mmCIF file of all heavy atoms in Angstrom:
data_model
loop_
_atom_site.group_PDB
_atom_site.id
_atom_site.type_symbol
_atom_site.label_atom_id
_atom_site.label_comp_id
_atom_site.label_asym_id
_atom_site.label_seq_id
_atom_site.Cartn_x
_atom_site.Cartn_y
_atom_site.Cartn_z
ATOM 1 N N PRO A 243 46.975 62.911 -74.724
ATOM 2 C CA PRO A 243 45.970 62.419 -73.760
ATOM 3 C C PRO A 243 45.874 60.917 -73.625
ATOM 4 O O PRO A 243 45.334 60.452 -72.677
ATOM 5 C CB PRO A 243 44.661 62.954 -74.318
ATOM 6 C CG PRO A 243 44.930 63.203 -75.829
ATOM 7 C CD PRO A 243 46.333 63.537 -75.949
ATOM 8 N N GLU A 244 46.515 60.193 -74.580
ATOM 9 C CA GLU A 244 46.422 58.724 -74.442
ATOM 10 C C GLU A 244 47.415 58.151 -73.405
ATOM 11 O O GLU A 244 47.429 56.942 -73.097
ATOM 12 C CB GLU A 244 46.737 58.090 -75.840
ATOM 13 C CG GLU A 244 48.193 58.037 -76.179
ATOM 14 C CD GLU A 244 48.694 59.348 -76.744
ATOM 15 O OE1 GLU A 244 47.914 60.309 -76.762
ATOM 16 O OE2 GLU A 244 49.937 59.384 -77.094
ATOM 17 N N GLY A 245 48.298 58.989 -72.856
ATOM 18 C CA GLY A 245 49.385 58.520 -72.003
ATOM 19 C C GLY A 245 48.827 57.892 -70.773
ATOM 20 O O GLY A 245 49.374 56.790 -70.292
ATOM 21 N N SER A 246 47.772 58.370 -70.128
ATOM 22 C CA SER A 246 47.244 57.766 -68.951
ATOM 23 C C SER A 246 46.684 56.369 -69.208
ATOM 24 O O SER A 246 46.843 55.425 -68.339
ATOM 25 C CB SER A 246 46.101 58.645 -68.406
ATOM 26 O OG SER A 246 46.564 59.914 -68.094
ATOM 27 N N THR A 247 46.111 56.136 -70.336
ATOM 28 C CA THR A 247 45.664 54.766 -70.751
ATOM 29 C C THR A 247 46.852 53.856 -70.798
ATOM 30 O O THR A 247 46.790 52.613 -70.299
ATOM 31 C CB THR A 247 44.936 54.847 -72.039
ATOM 32 O OG1 THR A 247 43.793 55.712 -71.946
ATOM 33 C CG2 THR A 247 44.427 53.439 -72.406
ATOM 34 N N LEU A 248 47.948 54.247 -71.434
ATOM 35 C CA LEU A 248 49.105 53.413 -71.520
ATOM 36 C C LEU A 248 49.713 53.036 -70.221
ATOM 37 O O LEU A 248 50.109 51.941 -69.933
ATOM 38 C CB LEU A 248 50.145 54.083 -72.413
ATOM 39 C CG LEU A 248 49.719 54.475 -73.829
ATOM 40 C CD1 LEU A 248 50.868 55.031 -74.649
ATOM 41 C CD2 LEU A 248 49.085 53.308 -74.616
ATOM 42 N N ILE A 249 49.774 54.035 -69.344
ATOM 43 C CA ILE A 249 50.377 53.817 -67.993
ATOM 44 C C ILE A 249 49.502 52.784 -67.195
ATOM 45 O O ILE A 249 50.095 51.890 -66.571
ATOM 46 C CB ILE A 249 50.545 55.145 -67.211
ATOM 47 C CG1 ILE A 249 51.546 56.063 -67.946
ATOM 48 C CG2 ILE A 249 50.974 54.935 -65.805
ATOM 49 C CD1 ILE A 249 51.514 57.462 -67.406
ATOM 50 N N ARG A 250 48.249 52.919 -67.193
ATOM 51 C CA ARG A 250 47.352 51.983 -66.477
ATOM 52 C C ARG A 250 47.453 50.605 -67.079
ATOM 53 O O ARG A 250 47.416 49.603 -66.328
ATOM 54 C CB ARG A 250 45.946 52.499 -66.478
ATOM 55 C CG ARG A 250 45.738 53.806 -65.648
ATOM 56 C CD ARG A 250 44.296 54.119 -65.419
ATOM 57 N NE ARG A 250 44.112 55.303 -64.629
ATOM 58 C CZ ARG A 250 43.994 56.535 -65.097
ATOM 59 N NH1 ARG A 250 44.029 56.763 -66.399
ATOM 60 N NH2 ARG A 250 43.856 57.561 -64.311
ATOM 61 N N ARG A 251 47.542 50.476 -68.408
ATOM 62 C CA ARG A 251 47.655 49.175 -69.011
ATOM 63 C C ARG A 251 49.021 48.563 -68.613
ATOM 64 O O ARG A 251 49.025 47.329 -68.268
ATOM 65 C CB ARG A 251 47.617 49.306 -70.565
ATOM 66 C CG ARG A 251 47.809 47.959 -71.279
ATOM 67 C CD ARG A 251 46.601 47.064 -70.984
ATOM 68 N NE ARG A 251 45.366 47.541 -71.376
ATOM 69 C CZ ARG A 251 44.873 47.479 -72.595
ATOM 70 N NH1 ARG A 251 45.549 46.841 -73.517
ATOM 71 N NH2 ARG A 251 43.751 47.969 -72.904
ATOM 72 N N ALA A 252 50.111 49.258 -68.551
ATOM 73 C CA ALA A 252 51.347 48.841 -68.091
ATOM 74 C C ALA A 252 51.357 48.363 -66.695
ATOM 75 O O ALA A 252 51.921 47.315 -66.322
ATOM 76 C CB ALA A 252 52.429 49.836 -68.337
ATOM 77 N N ALA A 253 50.549 49.156 -65.855
ATOM 78 C CA ALA A 253 50.489 48.761 -64.425
ATOM 79 C C ALA A 253 49.722 47.423 -64.304
ATOM 80 O O ALA A 253 50.128 46.604 -63.377
ATOM 81 C CB ALA A 253 49.730 49.887 -63.667
ATOM 82 N N ARG A 254 48.748 47.191 -65.090
ATOM 83 C CA ARG A 254 48.046 45.897 -64.985
ATOM 84 C C ARG A 254 48.948 44.760 -65.431
ATOM 85 O O ARG A 254 48.897 43.665 -64.839
ATOM 86 C CB ARG A 254 46.717 45.919 -65.900
ATOM 87 C CG ARG A 254 45.636 46.840 -65.268
ATOM 88 C CD ARG A 254 44.340 46.598 -65.939
ATOM 89 N NE ARG A 254 44.257 46.908 -67.313
ATOM 90 C CZ ARG A 254 43.984 48.077 -67.850
ATOM 91 N NH1 ARG A 254 43.697 49.083 -67.011
ATOM 92 N NH2 ARG A 254 43.952 48.274 -69.137
ATOM 93 N N MET A 255 49.754 45.026 -66.396
ATOM 94 C CA MET A 255 50.703 43.988 -66.903
ATOM 95 C C MET A 255 51.696 43.694 -65.805
ATOM 96 O O MET A 255 52.083 42.537 -65.535
ATOM 97 C CB MET A 255 51.423 44.434 -68.175
ATOM 98 C CG MET A 255 50.466 44.616 -69.428
ATOM 99 S SD MET A 255 51.213 45.480 -70.767
ATOM 100 C CE MET A 255 52.653 44.482 -71.008
#
Side-chain angles (χ1 to χ4, degrees):
E244 79 282 359
S246 299
T247 302
L248 304 185
I249 293 170
R250 292 189 177 94
R251 178 65 61 86
R254 290 196 295 271
M255 294 167 57

